[in-house]
Amino acid sequence: MAASCCRWLMSFCSLVTCIVSVVVCVVVAAGLAALVLYLLFRPHLIHATAASVDLTTFSLAPKAWTLRYNLSLALDLRNPNSRVALLYHAVAADAYYQDQRFSHAGLPDFSQPMGSSDTTHISPVAFQGQYQLVGGIAAAAFRREATEGMFSIHVSLAAKTNLQMVGVIRLPGPDLKVDCPLRVQRRSASAPPPHVHPTACHVTY
Ligand SMILES: *[C@@H]1O[C@H](CO)[C@@H](O)[C@H](O)[C@H]1NC(C)=O
């Protein structure tokens, strides 16, 4: 009787030990994965720059407040991590004026191969069309900026990422968001594209 009780107690104990070690393993593995992701994606690791901006049309119809625009933006992304390739998908860009999203554009998938400490030029985002601006404050801001000749336009880009390591291991990566607050000069179609100082964009995950 005592012997069977002891056997039962021992198998119970080994079950507990087993569960505890599984839990410890899971926690350690999750911690390691989080650490690896943190080391890869410290905010300063990926740099985004608005390399060139071209604004050929940006006009507001007087009374109707219809904004007509033709904006193209070239973005450079730098991934200084030479051990990880980054694959970007579901890439989309939005353009804002006075916090109003006036345009949305989808972009093709792209990747940054492993060891590309150099810069990846994303195919330029083109925003073109018209939008109904809401509110007199935005319209007043437009008129003021039109006299100054410089417009504050905000472009943001969002993408989902996959990480590729040692060629074959593929992991889902964090969602990436790039924010570029721009000061853009409108140019007439006949003038040559202006030389624009590259503007640093803000990268968040
Ligand atoms: C928009 O601007 C681009 C230059 O950035 C130009 O090539 C294109 O023809 C323009 N489109 C329209 C409809 O004006």
Side-chain angles (χ1 to χ4, degrees):
M1 184 65 199
S4 84
C5 178
C6 187
R7 257 207 312 280
W8 180 85
L9 203 63
M10 269 167 71
S11 63
F12 176 76
C13 283
S14 64
L15 181 68
V16 169
T17 314
C18 180
I19 290 174
V20 166
S21 33
V22 165
V23 167
V24 167
C25 276
V26 167
V27 168
V28 167
L32 272 180
L35 181 68
V36 166
L37 284 178
Y38 170 77
L39 290 177
L40 288 175
F41 284 97
R42 277 171 301 176
H44 61 271
L45 269 182
I46 291 179
H47 293 272
T49 312
S52 72
V53 186
D54 193 10
L55 185 67
T56 47
T57 307
F58 206 60
S59 66
L60 191 68
K63 299 200 177 76
W65 293 346
T66 307
L67 183 71
R68 282 176 213 289
Y69 56 87
N70 182 6
L71 167 72
S72 110
L73 169 77
L75 260 182
D76 287 349
L77 276 189
R78 202 159 66 82
N79 165 26
N81 199 306
S82 56
R83 300 218 170 105
V84 180
L86 286 166
L87 315 169
Y88 297 83
H89 61 104
V91 191
D94 291 306
Y96 296 83
Y97 184 70
Q98 292 289 314
D99 294 331
Q100 295 182 39
R101 188 177 81 162
F102 65 87
S103 195
H104 174 85
L107 273 88
D109 296 357
F110 63 94
S111 63
Q112 288 183 292
M114 191 152 39
S116 65
S117 51
D118 52 341
T119 303
T120 305
H121 308 286
I122 306 178
S123 59
V125 199
F127 301 100
Q128 203 217 305
Q130 60 182 57
Y131 168 82
Q132 191 61 49
L133 207 59
V134 182
I137 294 173
F142 185 96
R143 282 193 295 272
R144 193 189 62 241
E145 291 198 317
T147 1
E148 290 168 4
M150 279 283 207
F151 294 96
S152 309
I153 296 173
H154 186 122
V155 173
S156 77
L157 181 130
K160 296 188 183 302
T161 63
N162 280 118
L163 319 176
Q164 197 171 32
M165 281 172 259
V166 248
V168 287
I169 302 169
R170 194 183 273 212
L171 297 171
D175 294 351
L176 178 85
K177 193 161 179 281
V178 176
D179 281 299
C180 307
L182 306 167
R183 294 278 291 158
V184 195
Q185 199 169 0
R186 186 171 54 184
R187 75 162 169 113
S188 60
S190 53
H195 178 77
V196 183
H197 249 334
T199 312
C201 301
H202 190 66
V203 180
T204 45
Y205 303 101

